[in-house]
Amino acid sequence: MILGVGTDLANIERIKGTLARFGDRFRNRVFTEVEQRKAEARADVAGTYAKRWAAKEACSKALGTGLRMGIAWRDMSVRNMASGQPQMELTGWAADRLAQMTPPGHHAIVHVSLTDDHPWAQAFVVIEAVPLPSGGPGGVGASGKAAS
């Protein structure tokens, strides 16, 4: 069952301007160290940050809160699998909110898709609740990934 859906469209040039104006203050407030390392290693630094910004906005919408109610930017992080596929990792208040949304007997999976076509970056997040196997362990981990 679908628990939440969120999408966001970010302007890469706006993020580029914010990075130029506020630098590390902006980076450190919004992005985790892993996200910063990923972005700074890419040819399109601003585009990489813009996609992650959009993912955080989309995730907060899928959680049903937007960026209020105690959620912090760094409570939502984009990591990439070895294949390059992005994954949302939730910690802190975002992970707590995900656990509250997840019905008993289910575990939550947070799906994320990112794309960009200059000057736009877009993210789409779907939070899905999947029934636990009968008698098996499970629940929602702090990462927002299914526990096994």
Side-chain angles (χ1 to χ4, degrees), residues 132-139 148:
L132 293 170
S134 58
S148 55

Side-chain angles (χ1 to χ4, degrees), residues 3-117:
L3 299 179
V5 176
T7 188
D8 192 67
L9 186 65
N11 185 286
I12 296 169
E13 290 299 318
R14 183 175 140 247
I15 297 297
K16 185 176 182 178
T18 302
L19 287 164
R21 184 172 177 194
F22 297 105
D24 286 342
R25 190 168 128 212
F26 172 66
R27 281 183 199 87
N28 293 331
R29 190 181 114 234
V30 176
F31 302 101
T32 65
E33 290 178 25
V34 169
E35 290 174 310
Q36 290 181 47
R37 279 195 307 271
K38 175 77 171 181
E40 297 298 328
R42 302 291 302 267
D44 184 8
V45 173
T48 302
Y49 278 122
K51 284 186 279 190
R52 278 144 180 78
W53 171 279
K56 293 167 187 275
E57 287 274 6
C59 186
S60 70
K61 293 170 186 174
L63 289 168
T65 64
L67 286 162
R68 57 181 171 79
M69 296 177 54
I71 201 165
W73 286 104
R74 292 171 54 109
D75 286 349
M76 301 166 292
S77 173
V78 177
R79 290 182 176 257
N80 293 86
M81 297 170 60
S83 65
Q85 178 181 348
Q87 289 184 300
M88 290 302 302
E89 182 174 86
L90 306 182
T91 58
W93 193 93
D96 293 344
R97 171 68 180 146
L98 182 62
Q100 292 168 0
M101 302 173 58
T102 306
H106 291 73
H107 65 91
I109 301 172
V110 180
H111 304 277
V112 62
S113 180
L114 306 174
T115 192
D116 66 295
D117 186 7

